[in-house]
Amino acid sequence: MISKVNGKVQHLSDIYPVIETNTILNKTITGIGATYSEIKAPRHSIIIEPTKPVIYGKTHDPKHKADNILGVCQGVYQDDIADYIETSLSQHKWIKILTTPESFRKVQKAFDDLDIDIRFDGYFLLFDECQKMVKDCDYRSDITLPMDLFFQCKDKAVVSATPPTQYADPRFNDFQIIKLVPDYNYRMDLQLYTTNNVLQSTRELLESLASDERPVFFFVNSTDMIISLMKQLGVMDESAVFCSEKSVDKLKSFKFRNAYEEWKESRIARYNWMTSRFYSALDIELSEAPNVVMLTDCFTAEYTMIDPYMDAVQILGRFRNGVNRIYHISNCDKRNPIRSREQIEESYRAQKYVYEYMGTMARSASTATQREEFYRAQATIPFTRFLDENNKIDPYKVDNYIDEETVKVIYNNYSSVLQAYQECGYFNVTPISQYYKFGDYERLKIESKAASIREKRKEIVAQLEELGVCETEAECQYKRDLAFADPLIVEAYDLLGKEKIEQLNYSVTKIRAAIILKKHQEKAHATDAIQLINANFLPQQWYSAKTIKEKIKDIFTKLNIPTNKAVTSHTINEFFVAKEQKKRIGRGYFLIAPRFT
């Protein structure tokens, strides 16, 4: 049972001093100090952390200044680890190694070089944030590298506030599950924005937060999406991005300098963007509670789908001093199939059957050529995604597939997203639905990498035709977004119209030439119009609204001048300094002086 004492949540070491071996520890609450507890535990420990920023944070935390910690990741070598082990043992200090899964092999080899068998010689292995094995193994094949040795160890455990409900790896079957249950209300208020236009909903949210000086933290798992949003929201100069080393280089190629691989409070900006490597384990301690915005765009990338049961809980747990307000802005994609977990598992088993059947056919083939062709066909079957480098089934890849397909089901419709948040037990949800004339699905058509430039421009013209005269600010903004995507075709549409663009067969060269000619004609027409209007209207005279409208329309018609808005008596203000006056015969204008001569 976890309690609050004097308004603060109990530390794990207060209620569970030493994590037992063969345990799956479900903390329920993030930030109660599982890693801290193990660092302080009177035993040798090897703690596997999911990402480098977590290790950096722990090794630079003043709370651990007196602890004998070695952080192992890229840049720390096998000899460094061996030296640390020898020195620690000679000084009778507890060994406390924090390592990424990818660097674990260096740790293991260092112990082997010193003839120390960590499986039996009193070393405790703790895999922190164990849900990451499932969440990340599709793109981080080495995240599960430690697991074979892990299960051979006498003393071991995994821990998370959001562990998977079940594992495909049968070696977990003998583990005890210990769940810590809070005896207080730990739910957080969350505003769930379901929308068909993530960009516009985000823009309007930022406008509502304009007077709030607290920093804003965005969690969105796509560097491309972050770049696009920063540009279109106009916040590039007020932003900092925290992401992987590879993504830092990518952002710098776009001339964006405030991109960092490691979190430091000194790097904080008005708007802070964080990818999934910062979703869990990291401690963010701020003097003021920030506003947190989670973003999901199913059409931009499936991996931006935030899992309410795991990701959202972990994200909010990063802020050790709490948050001000929590928002999740998301669209949905009805193309995601609705399937139960049982149906997803059945799909996996069907793929496995087909793969094994092809192997049987290959082994039963009557000739070497047939056998070769069967094996070649087997290698192309999607089931190969579940195999490790030795062509054995990787249970974590199976878990990853089931997890990803389950999350896709959630984002089939808005009701499912709401239901997931309500069922996970961590949030008091306020649902807010926002619908716009055009949204992310329409934007997808003009951003598709599979479509040609001509196809994209045809789609933009079609959307402009449907949009017509913008009647709301959201519609005007969508048109500006189209212009951001392709300024040439939007300008061409405004000046030339759909029919003319089609006559030019969407040729860039012909469109540019037509725009130049049109602008020249409009400039010439404008000069002629000024001269005729000055000839037809005299200064220091009053004209009725009807007369003004009729004369200007007649002049525009004679000059074949196209207009983007209706001609009214108010149009006279574009050509004369005028004052509206009413007389007995009706409304009109007293013309003071011409604006152009």
Side-chain angles (χ1 to χ4, degrees), residues 26-247:
N26 182 348
K27 301 182 298 180
T28 304
I29 301 297
T30 59
I32 62 172
T35 306
Y36 177 92
S37 176
E38 188 56 39
I39 290 172
K40 297 294 185 181
R43 61 188 177 191
H44 297 308
S45 307
I46 300 171
I47 305 171
I48 303 168
E49 294 289 355
T51 58
K52 183 179 174 181
V54 181
I55 295 175
Y56 180 89
K58 298 296 183 186
T59 54
H60 289 77
D61 190 335
K63 294 194 293 288
H64 295 301
K65 188 175 182 180
D67 297 314
N68 184 39
I69 300 177
L70 174 67
V72 180
C73 44
Q74 187 177 5
V76 178
Y77 301 101
Q78 187 175 322
D79 289 344
D80 300 323
I81 303 168
D83 289 343
Y84 161 83
I85 295 169
E86 286 188 310
T87 302
S88 299
L89 293 176
S90 66
Q91 297 176 354
H92 305 289
K93 292 181 179 180
W94 293 118
I95 288 174
K96 301 293 177 180
I97 295 177
L98 273 63
T99 178
T100 59
E102 289 82 354
S103 291
F104 180 79
R105 189 170 288 169
K106 291 185 290 186
V107 175
Q108 181 183 350
K109 288 181 178 178
F111 277 103
D112 290 343
D113 288 347
L114 298 172
D115 291 327
I116 299 174
D117 192 338
I118 58 177
R119 297 176 299 171
F120 309 111
D121 290 346
Y123 289 83
F124 192 89
L125 264 68
L126 179 68
F127 202 121
D128 193 20
E129 304 298 349
C130 59
Q131 82 283 351
K132 297 292 280 184
M133 289 188 288
V134 171
K135 287 289 184 181
D136 293 0
C137 72
D138 58 333
Y139 68 95
R140 291 176 63 188
S141 58
D142 290 346
I143 193 170
T144 56
L145 275 178
M147 296 313 294
D148 285 339
L149 182 80
F150 173 88
F151 283 108
Q152 296 174 27
C153 291
K154 177 183 176 184
D155 300 316
K156 57 191 176 293
V158 298
V159 61
S160 174
T162 56
T165 55
Q166 53 187 288
Y167 284 99
D169 193 331
R171 293 174 292 185
F172 275 116
N173 292 346
D174 295 331
F175 277 53
Q176 65 172 338
I177 300 174
I178 295 180
K179 183 173 182 178
L180 305 180
V181 181
D183 64 359
Y184 61 92
N185 182 9
Y186 56 93
R187 289 175 178 261
M188 296 173 281
D189 294 334
L190 179 144
Q191 294 184 35
L192 176 63
Y193 285 77
T194 50
T195 179
N196 69 324
N197 191 326
V198 170
L199 172 62
Q200 184 61 23
S201 290
T202 305
R203 181 181 284 116
E204 292 177 7
L205 175 60
L206 290 193
E207 290 172 356
S208 72
L209 295 175
S211 60
D212 189 339
E213 296 182 356
R214 295 179 182 87
V216 180
F217 280 78
F218 290 95
F219 288 83
V220 49
N221 193 31
S222 167
T223 309
D224 289 338
M225 186 173 166
I226 290 173
I227 295 169
S228 177
L229 285 170
M230 288 193 301
K231 287 181 178 179
Q232 294 184 81
L233 294 172
V235 296
M236 291 280 285
D237 295 336
E238 302 175 86
S239 291
V241 179
F242 299 89
C243 51
S244 67
E245 182 180 4
K246 185 177 179 180
S247 293

Side-chain angles (χ1 to χ4, degrees), residues 438-457:
F438 289 94
D440 301 307
Y441 182 70
E442 288 76 20
R443 185 177 289 109
L444 173 68
K445 295 178 182 178
I446 62 175
E447 294 178 352
S448 171
K449 293 180 180 179
S452 66
I453 294 176
R454 185 175 183 276
E455 290 171 335
K456 292 177 182 179
R457 286 178 167 163

